[in-house]
Amino acid sequence: MQASWYELEVGSALARRVTTGTPAELRELAGPALKLFLSVEKHFSDFVEDQFDFHTYCVRKMTLRAYVSVLKLEDNIRGHKAFVKACVQAAELYLLLHKADSAEVAKPQEAVDPKLAKALAKREKAKAAKAKRKAEADAKAQAEAAKEAAKNDDSKKKLPKRDADEDPKGEKLAALEPLKEATRLSKALEKYAASSVETHALAFDVSMVRAKPLL
């Protein structure tokens, strides 16, 4: 079962941490919140896709009155307040990331002391080596744990395996082109939730950032 209310509340709490910092820092903070908001958006896509499983079933069982009610519900399912809130908050985060990127590009480049640059490079190299060692140690520990679990599976009932989440922290979502994603979410709200005030406020913000206030 999809718990959209929970994902929205946790996402909103995480989004409040995204205030100031470098683009990389903001993306790291925004990733988990975007993960939750866009999961809610996906829930509604799943709702629409799942209705196709019921077409032949409802006709065969002659539950036509309920069938028509479901069709009417599906026609406006993306106008639900949970969908609107998820898209608006995700788009606002993407706009914040876009503004951070723009500010970073416009920032004048300062002259860097060669000694300082060398020290920073050395420190970054040490951090990368430390992170690599930690990743190798974690991988080794996971392999040993998996090996131990495989031994215990012989005496225990095997549970169905779940697909591994390839982006648990939302890093791939935060790495997308922010203005393009904000525009996509805004267009979706204009199409499915045109009666919502939040839709038009977001459309205005996105158009202003795109320098296209008349669209």
Side-chain angles (χ1 to χ4, degrees), residues 47-109:
F47 296 156
V48 174
E49 292 176 3
D50 288 345
Q51 70 174 310
F52 295 108
D53 297 335
F54 297 99
H55 289 326
T56 56
Y57 173 83
C58 292
V59 173
R60 188 172 70 251
K61 295 294 184 178
M62 297 301 292
T63 55
L64 299 182
R65 182 177 298 176
Y67 180 49
V68 172
S69 298
V70 169
L71 292 180
K72 291 180 179 179
L73 172 67
E74 294 285 356
D75 286 342
N76 301 303
I77 190 69
R78 287 191 174 97
H80 193 277
K81 61 182 181 181
F83 180 82
V84 174
K85 184 176 181 179
C87 289
V88 167
Q89 296 207 43
E92 288 176 347
L93 282 177
Y94 276 125
L95 289 177
L96 181 62
L97 295 178
H98 173 74
K99 291 177 181 177
D101 291 342
S102 301
E104 187 72 15
V105 172
K107 186 185 298 184
Q109 298 294 327

Side-chain angles (χ1 to χ4, degrees), residues 125-141:
K125 186 177 180 180
K127 286 175 62 178
K130 183 179 179 181
K132 184 179 179 180
R133 289 194 299 269
K134 185 177 184 301
E136 291 174 350
D138 291 343
K140 185 177 180 180

Side-chain angles (χ1 to χ4, degrees), residues 1 3 23 29 38 41 48 55 75 78 99 101 107 120-121 126 129 138 149 151 164 167 178 180 182 185 206 209 212:
M1 294 295 289
L29 292 173
L38 297 178
E41 183 198 14
V48 174
H55 289 326
D75 286 342
R78 287 191 174 97
K99 291 177 181 177
D101 291 342
K107 186 185 298 184
L120 290 174
D138 291 343
K151 292 180 181 178
D167 187 27
K180 183 177 180 180
L185 294 167
V206 172
V209 172
K212 294 184 178 181

Side-chain angles (χ1 to χ4, degrees), residues 7 9 12-13 20 25 31 34 39 49 54 63 65 68 76 109 117 119 126 130 132 154 161 173 176 204 206 209-210:
E7 291 171 315
E9 290 300 323
S12 298
T20 58
E25 293 171 343
L34 288 172
S39 292
E49 292 176 3
F54 297 99
T63 55
R65 182 177 298 176
V68 172
N76 301 303
Q109 298 294 327
K130 183 179 179 181
K132 184 179 179 180
D154 295 336
K161 293 183 179 179
L173 297 174
L176 296 174
F204 173 80
V206 172
V209 172
R210 295 176 64 203

